[in-house]
Amino acid sequence: MSVTLCCQRPEETVCFANVAAVIFDKDGTLANSAHYLYQLAQARLRRIAAIAPGLEEPLRRSFGLSGHHVQPQGLQAVGSRQENLIAAAAYLAGQGYGWIQAREMAEAAFREADCELSPKAPFTPPYPGVIDLVQRLDAAGVALAVLSGDRTAEVEAFLATYQLSGFFQVAMGSDRPPTKPDPTPLKKICAELKIPPAQTIVIGDADADGLMAQRAATAGCIGVTWGWYPPPPLSYCQCTVAAPTQIQILC
């Protein structure tokens, strides 16, 4: 079954016809994760700084931390765990450690930080209105999936914690490359749903979501800004919304 999705804002209305599937991002889109991501970055920094004290400030900038916040377009916010780990390892290698040793040290620091803030799902509740949007899409017969920069196990744990698993046919993380904005994972989800990209909309909070949607030749990307203040500019989305209620479903 296909529907028309409309982004309704005071200044404009943008509609997408013949939509049969919606692929959601998780952190920053479904899950309120900004505070968790800041805490996680701080935990990682503490452990790496214990090894190489001079790296704390460069890594803060690399992760995209500003004051007590995570920058919405920074590495911590939009990068996968593996991308953040490689960045940390590169800084350690710059301190004279061999590459394999630097990666092992970064992995140990990240693993300890994960344990400090585990399980993740209770720290990242759904945004207000998100569950209602998911339920409305499901009731309209739209196939739903999640494609996240987080690990698949964390995606599944989030959906299970908030009783959302039954609404999503596919839940995929970024355990292995390629990751966003590469279109390969999105195309794989579309194949599992048996719905072509041309009938699929991506909903996400980052340029990686919009660029991935563009490269996969989907029907488009709806950018969401409800997870960040100030809202990030989204260059690859056909429209942006500030609340789930601004996404209307026309059968």
Side-chain angles (χ1 to χ4, degrees):
M1 180 174 179
S2 63
V3 301
T4 296
L5 294 186
C6 291
C7 302
Q8 293 190 329
R9 303 191 305 165
E11 62 272 26
E12 63 175 347
T13 297
V14 177
C15 293
F16 306 90
N18 196 29
V19 175
V22 170
I23 299 178
F24 283 90
D25 172 54
K26 180 172 76 73
D27 289 327
T29 302
L30 293 172
N32 187 345
S33 58
H35 184 59
Y36 168 85
L37 291 174
Y38 177 79
Q39 290 180 304
L40 181 63
Q42 288 289 95
R44 291 170 174 174
L45 285 171
R46 285 196 300 272
R47 284 156 178 79
I48 293 172
I51 304 166
L55 290 184
E56 187 164 5
E57 273 309 306
L59 273 175
R60 279 183 63 85
R61 293 192 295 271
S62 179
F63 288 158
L65 302 189
S66 178
H68 296 291
H69 303 282
V70 175
Q71 295 175 359
Q73 294 181 303
L75 180 59
Q76 181 72 20
V78 302
S80 68
R81 182 182 188 276
Q82 186 66 14
E83 289 169 334
N84 277 269
L85 190 149
I86 292 299
Y91 275 101
L92 285 165
Q95 297 294 299
Y97 295 101
W99 177 241
I100 299 302
Q101 185 182 13
R103 284 193 59 171
E104 287 296 301
M105 293 163 69
E107 177 60 52
F110 275 43
R111 188 165 54 247
E112 291 171 8
D114 289 342
C115 290
E116 182 179 327
L117 294 165
S118 182
K120 176 181 177 179
F123 290 94
T124 59
Y127 287 104
V130 159
I131 292 178
D132 177 68
L133 172 60
V134 169
Q135 291 173 334
R136 287 190 288 120
L137 287 166
D138 178 70
V142 178
L144 301 177
V146 179
L147 176 54
S148 172
D150 203 353
R151 291 174 289 184
T152 299
E154 295 290 3
V155 177
E156 292 172 343
F158 169 80
L159 296 177
T161 298
Y162 298 103
Q163 292 80 52
L164 292 170
S165 301
F167 295 106
F168 292 91
Q169 287 92 320
V170 182
M172 183 183 295
S174 298
D175 305 75
R176 293 182 299 275
T179 59
K180 301 176 187 181
D182 190 293
T184 304
L186 190 154
K187 290 180 178 180
K188 182 178 179 181
I189 289 178
C190 287
E192 289 191 41
L193 295 175
K194 296 182 172 57
I195 294 171
Q199 287 186 272
T200 301
I201 286 289
V202 174
I203 298 180
D205 70 316
D207 275 341
D209 299 300
L211 183 55
M212 175 184 67
Q214 185 182 101
R215 289 175 172 175
T218 68
C221 180
I222 298 174
V224 305
T225 61
W226 57 64
W228 304 99
Y229 184 82
L234 297 173
S235 304
Y236 298 95
C237 299
Q238 283 68 37
C239 63
T240 59
V241 293
T245 53
Q246 291 181 327
I247 300 176
Q248 297 298 308
I249 305 162
L250 307 178
C251 297

